[in-house]
Amino acid sequence: RLTYRMGGSRRRNVPDQLEQPMMRNEHIVRAHQTPEVGNNTNGLPWNIIHVDNSAPAGGNGTVQAPFNTLEQGNLAADAAGDVVFVHTGNGTYNQTAAFTPQFAEQLLIGDGAMFCLDTTCGPINMQLTNTRPTISNGSGASVILGTGGGGGPIGFTTANFIVSGSRIGVEATNAALAGSTAEVINYKIEPGSTGGFHTGLQLTGVVGEVNVVNTSITDMNDTGIKIDGGTPTLTYQGTVSNDNGLGTGSTSPLIDIRNTTGGTISIAAGSTPGTYQAGDPNCLVATTVQNSLSDIGGGGIVIDKSNSDITMDNLTITNSVNEAISVTNSGGNIKIGLGGPATITQIPGTLLSPSAAGIVVDGADPTFTYSGSITNLAGSGNAVFVNDTGPTGSVTVTNPGDRSSESGAGLVVSNSSGDVTIENFNITDTTGPGILAQNN
């Protein structure tokens, strides 16, 4: 077909253009950019090491050939910022050693719940299933909070695990943490069926910060949370519980804080937040674990030779085999029940027939405040016993919601030179003086 036009435009119309053969134009400049996924700290791609105990032996840590033990994944994480991702797998990961970060800013992340990596392309959720992996180390800790000696603003982050039957669920020492910060997110720590003694969270000599969110510790037979020495900054959001009513729990303390020389400790304080941050700041997950401290037939709360500022709320202690709350030779500002309800109940004969006191404050100069109810029935010890406190401290025990009840051995304040305020009590049929104040 030949088309010839006299004058006018020489532009071909659409039908004409459709009849022309297609030809490549070599002169169009095209920009090309390879997408990059980088981490927050150095812009390099995340190095993700995969662990799956259902995989065959001989893996190399890739998603196609994961390692099949946690120890192999730990050893392969040999650079700052490495991520060890633990798949749900097949049954419990039985550990021969604690997972210990070797370098700063490493992450140990389990499957089963949201956790997002912060990347240059936006947050990437690592979650594959709805079941968290279970890990167990019957001879030691499952996870050590540390930095590999590298420090850093966030030394180590771990999230989304069930710890069952470990001697210690999560442990921090100052040698490992090195004054940095560690994060524990969405853990469930339980005694399992391995026998022996179990501690949920243990901090020893820590000079650094530990933040725990959406975590539960249940029925540890050697203390729920144990803190010994150092100047720790601990924030624990979640539940610590012990039920020895059927002999399945422990007579050890629910919380045991000793020998600290400073720092700030906050356990189940205030109302439960609605969400928690899972990695990237844009990844917020609904909180599933409430702030709660519950001890039935156990060892209550022990604070000894501590000079930390301590806050605990949302507390229920029933039939403690020792004092429900014992504060001895300690300083610091200790507040219990000001940000959430607190209840102490001693009913002899229903569990272990305790004769211990409700609250004991003995020695040194703490500023101690308990705001909540105390029910201390006949056969129990003193509802409140204050002894040998110094002039710079104070003790306040009050029940703003109602009146506490004392039918045990009465209220005692002796050998103390600081301010002591005890109010809102009904005192009836005590075995000793209802109120005894001597040598003050």
Side-chain angles (χ1 to χ4, degrees):
R1 172 181 169 183
L2 174 64
T3 302
Y4 183 79
R5 294 183 176 88
M6 297 294 293
S9 172
R10 297 182 62 184
R11 175 182 298 176
R12 295 182 177 91
N13 58 26
V14 172
D16 292 339
Q17 292 173 343
L18 291 174
E19 292 180 2
Q20 303 304 310
M22 183 175 293
M23 300 179 66
R24 181 184 180 96
N25 190 332
E26 302 289 349
H27 302 289
I28 296 176
V29 177
R30 179 173 62 90
H32 175 75
Q33 181 178 1
T34 301
E36 296 181 359
V37 179
N39 66 23
N40 268 349
T41 57
N42 55 26
L44 297 176
W46 288 101
N47 180 33
I48 301 177
I49 300 159
H50 292 264
V51 178
D52 187 338
N53 65 359
S54 66
N60 58 11
T62 62
V63 67
Q64 296 84 3
F67 294 123
N68 65 1
T69 71
L70 197 55
E71 289 76 11
Q72 290 174 304
N74 195 169
L75 184 62
D78 58 3
D82 278 354
V83 181
V84 177
F85 182 72
V86 182
H87 294 252
T88 301
N90 182 17
T92 300
Y93 287 81
N94 292 306
Q95 300 170 261
T96 59
F99 183 98
T100 305
Q102 303 180 74
F103 291 87
E105 302 181 19
Q106 293 189 334
L107 296 89
L108 172 64
I109 308 301
D111 194 9
M114 178 182 286
F115 188 90
C116 297
L117 295 180
D118 185 3
T119 78
T120 55
C121 296
I124 296 178
N125 184 12
M126 303 182 72
Q127 180 181 358
L128 301 175
T129 73
N130 293 320
T131 303
R132 289 176 290 182
T134 299
I135 58 179
S136 181
N137 183 6
S139 61
S142 268
V143 179
I144 300 290
L145 304 180
T147 65
I154 301 295
F156 178 59
T157 298
T158 181
N160 304 336
F161 285 95
I162 297 172
V163 181
S164 183
S166 293
R167 176 63 186 84
I168 301 171
V170 177
E171 183 178 13
T173 66
N174 196 50
L177 195 58
S180 186
T181 299
E183 296 180 325
V184 179
I185 302 169
N186 193 33
Y187 263 60
K188 178 182 180 182
I189 303 175
E190 59 187 21
S193 58
T194 59
F197 292 96
H198 308 285
T199 296
L201 173 65
Q202 182 168 308
L203 277 59
T204 305
V206 166
V207 180
E209 184 173 346
V210 176
N211 297 316
V212 183
V213 298
N214 203 59
T215 290
S216 65
I217 299 173
T218 306
D219 286 342
M220 297 290 104
N221 58 9
D222 186 15
T223 311
I225 296 178
K226 180 183 292 186
I227 303 172
D228 191 355
T231 57
T233 299
L234 170 65
T235 302
Y236 182 95
Q237 181 272 303
T239 295
V240 187
S241 63
N242 172 61
D243 186 350
N244 197 36
L246 299 176
T248 57
S250 168
T251 57
S252 298
L254 185 73
I255 311 291
D256 192 341
I257 303 171
R258 299 175 186 267
N259 305 314
T260 59
T261 56
T264 303
I265 298 169
S266 174
I267 302 175
S271 58
T272 304
T275 60
Y276 66 89
Q277 181 179 320
D280 183 280
N282 295 302
C283 289
L284 299 178
V285 183
T287 301
T288 57
V289 183
Q290 301 299 303
N291 279 343
S292 175
L293 301 176
S294 176
D295 190 28
I296 300 174
I301 293 172
V302 174
I303 302 171
D304 180 51
K305 301 181 183 68
S306 169
N307 286 289
S308 300
D309 291 337
I310 300 170
T311 303
M312 300 183 203
D313 296 318
N314 305 295
L315 168 71
T316 301
I317 300 178
T318 304
N319 283 51
S320 177
V321 298
N322 298 303
E323 295 82 8
I325 300 174
S326 173
V327 179
T328 54
N329 301 308
S330 295
N333 191 355
I334 302 168
K335 298 182 291 185
I336 298 176
L338 272 71
T343 302
I344 296 172
T345 305
Q346 299 281 59
I347 308 175
T350 58
L351 290 175
L352 299 175
S353 300
S355 59
I359 296 175
V360 167
V361 182
D362 192 351
D365 292 273
T367 299
F368 175 86
T369 304
Y370 174 86
S371 179
S373 69
I374 300 175
T375 300
N376 207 45
L377 299 187
S380 299
N382 305 103
V384 180
F385 183 90
V386 181
N387 180 65
D388 199 26
T389 56
T392 61
S394 64
V395 176
T396 301
V397 178
T398 185
N399 184 0
D402 202 347
R403 290 186 179 273
S404 292
S405 175
E406 166 60 320
S407 298
L411 311 178
V412 174
V413 180
S414 63
N415 306 307
S416 295
S417 52
D419 293 335
V420 178
T421 302
I422 303 173
E423 56 187 9
N424 292 343
F425 262 90
N426 283 332
I427 303 174
T428 57
D429 298 326
T430 58
T431 57
I435 299 174
L436 175 62
Q438 60 184 2
N439 303 320
N440 296 302

